[in-house]
Amino acid sequence: MSALVRSSVGSLCAAARAVIPSIWRGKYFSSGDEPAENNPVTPMLRHLMYKIKSTGPITVAEYMKEVLTNPAKGYYVYRDMLGEKGDFITSPEISQIFGELLGIWFISEWMATGKRVAFQLVELGPGRGTLVGDILRVFSQLGSVLKNCDISIHLVEKTPQGWREVFIDVDPQVSDKLRFVLAPCATPAAAFIQHDETRDHVEVCPDAGVIIQELSQRIALTGGAALIADYGHDGTKTDTFRGFCGHKLHDVLIAPGTADLTADVDFSYLRRMAQGKVASLGPIKQQTFLKNMGIDVRLKVLLDKSDEPSMRQQLLHGYDMLMNPEKMGERFNFFALLPHQRLHGGRHQMNACQSKPSAFPVAGFSELAWQ
């Protein structure tokens, strides 16, 4: 799930037009030296330049919102970005096994927490519905078990004057060009920086924190679980804001509207935002999670059932993409939020149709016991 959504930073300070150039060290950021022919004037670029010239520099969060979701020119609105012919691909699109194993995870948690008669399955990530389709297929296949039964970022840099947010402005030296600059004074995004932060550059997402707080409160009050899968880190990385076009890295300030924009999830931030209301597990590498969920067993079953060489090759290719440490195996992580009593075997309120909850290990975060 990608829980990074755009949050407005509020009005700029009065001196916003007096921003100073940012000396940015991230290798995927525009240096301002690209040839003009590599920076086509897209409709989105023209829109952004009009906007910036009218109201001043914009935050990275607002830049991402405009580029990706603008109803007239947004990348997500008018492009088919998924698949081999798109700009990136997601795990559910690579192999059916991914969604099937997540379906097993949800059933495992449902059984471990008392087999409630009614439950809700909510997916917050974007896509074509492939993931939910695979999960629901697992539910239908396990009918005997179940018969009772909807982000972008702010960049903040440490300066001698304190934390300053990174904005996007029109480059006064180059026509039809954007650049990164530093805000001349503190902005609300700096409030999300921890007092003991040691990194020089931090990416914060207030709206992701709001979502996690809402999920944590609901889980603490009514039970359930949240499983978050994404590329990310545990508070160790700095500059991860990047673009993808045709499955290749793309300068985030070049030809806006033609490439996907993304950033890694900071799982340490999500853990803090849970505020101790629920327990958290992870992040653990996708390779470890899927192996614990029995991906090798499922792959063998599918290979044994398939007589077509092309299908077998597709299954093996998908497995390699999901598990290879050089591909997605160690780049993607899994992170879970659960009630405290789920891990400590405490009793929660049950009705007559529920069985006693257990303190079994959480599937995926320890080896799945096949019984």
Side-chain angles (χ1 to χ4, degrees):
M1 178 196 82
S2 181
L4 296 181
V5 294
R6 184 261 182 185
S7 173
S8 173
V9 74
S11 58
L12 302 179
C13 61
R17 295 183 181 275
V19 291
I20 59 176
S22 167
I23 302 175
W24 196 262
R25 291 181 287 274
K27 64 178 181 179
Y28 300 135
F29 288 76
S30 174
S31 65
D33 298 327
E34 291 79 3
E37 59 269 19
N38 295 337
N39 187 22
V41 181
T42 62
M44 176 56 66
L45 175 57
R46 197 168 298 281
H47 164 72
L48 289 167
M49 294 187 70
Y50 287 147
K51 181 182 181 72
I52 293 171
K53 288 178 180 179
S54 298
T55 62
I58 59 176
T59 66
V60 172
E62 185 161 1
Y63 178 77
M64 291 182 73
K65 178 188 177 185
E66 289 287 345
V67 170
L68 298 177
T69 63
N70 182 286
K73 307 174 182 67
Y75 169 82
Y76 286 159
V77 178
Y78 290 102
R79 293 178 67 93
D80 185 9
M81 72 292 295
L82 290 172
E84 293 184 4
K85 296 181 179 180
D87 296 320
F88 63 92
I89 193 168
T90 61
S91 294
E93 304 287 339
I94 292 173
S95 174
Q96 68 181 72
I97 302 177
F98 185 85
E100 291 172 348
L101 296 181
L102 264 61
I104 293 174
W105 189 89
F106 288 118
I107 291 176
S108 173
E109 281 306 297
W110 172 73
M111 296 176 66
T113 54
K115 298 183 180 179
R116 295 189 177 190
V117 175
F119 66 91
Q120 296 178 330
L121 173 65
V122 182
E123 183 195 7
L124 297 178
R128 297 169 173 158
T130 305
L131 177 59
V132 167
D134 291 337
I135 292 174
L136 292 179
R137 185 173 65 254
V138 171
F139 285 6
S140 66
Q141 292 172 347
L142 296 178
S144 60
V145 177
L146 296 168
K147 62 182 179 180
N148 292 323
C149 279
D150 187 282
I151 285 184
S152 59
I153 60 168
H154 295 268
L155 304 184
V156 188
E157 179 179 340
K158 184 181 290 185
T159 74
Q161 293 74 38
W163 289 100
R164 294 292 183 264
E165 186 167 4
V166 178
F167 284 78
I168 294 172
D169 193 13
V170 175
D171 191 331
Q173 305 298 323
V174 184
S175 176
D176 298 324
K177 187 91 174 151
L178 299 175
R179 64 170 183 170
F180 287 102
V181 295
L182 287 179
C185 58
T187 61
F192 292 87
I193 305 296
Q194 296 294 296
H195 65 86
D196 57 351
E197 180 60 65
T198 59
R199 290 173 289 175
D200 291 332
H201 302 84
V202 180
E203 299 164 341
V204 297
C205 182
D207 276 11
V210 172
I211 291 174
I212 293 298
Q213 289 176 358
E214 176 71 15
L215 286 173
S216 298
Q217 183 173 355
R218 288 177 177 268
I219 292 171
L221 291 176
T222 62
L227 184 64
I228 301 172
D230 215 326
Y231 39 73
H233 58 92
D234 204 13
T236 57
K237 293 184 179 180
T238 55
D239 308 327
T240 72
F241 180 38
R242 59 199 183 277
F244 281 99
C245 183
H247 300 273
K248 296 181 180 179
L249 285 168
H250 179 87
D251 192 307
V252 295
L253 296 186
I254 297 298
T258 66
D260 183 43
L261 301 178
T262 187
D264 285 7
V265 175
D266 184 344
F267 290 102
S268 67
Y269 172 71
L270 302 188
R271 188 184 302 111
R272 291 197 305 270
M273 292 299 101
Q275 299 177 327
K277 295 177 182 177
V278 293
S280 64
L281 292 176
I284 65 170
K285 300 300 182 183
Q286 175 169 290
Q287 180 188 50
T288 302
F289 180 88
L290 295 181
K291 183 170 288 292
N292 288 342
M293 288 301 302
I295 188 173
D296 295 324
V297 175
R298 181 57 177 160
L299 175 66
K300 184 177 185 304
V301 170
L302 292 176
L303 288 174
D304 290 343
K305 288 183 177 181
S306 177
D307 296 326
E308 298 182 14
S310 61
M311 179 58 69
R312 294 174 61 88
Q313 183 62 32
Q314 182 179 342
L315 288 169
L316 291 171
H317 174 72
Y319 177 89
D320 182 63
M321 284 290 294
L322 294 176
M323 298 293 285
N324 191 323
E326 299 299 320
K327 297 178 181 178
M328 301 174 78
E330 291 192 358
R331 296 179 183 177
F332 282 69
N333 293 268
F334 279 77
F335 180 81
L337 300 175
L338 305 131
H340 286 293
Q341 59 266 34
R342 166 69 181 90
L343 301 184
H344 303 295
R347 299 180 61 89
H348 37 202
Q349 188 175 358
M350 298 178 288
N351 58 40
C353 297
Q354 289 179 256
S355 60
K356 181 180 178 180
S358 68
F360 292 146
V362 179
F365 295 88
S366 58
E367 289 192 22
L368 182 66
W370 294 89
Q371 296 181 352

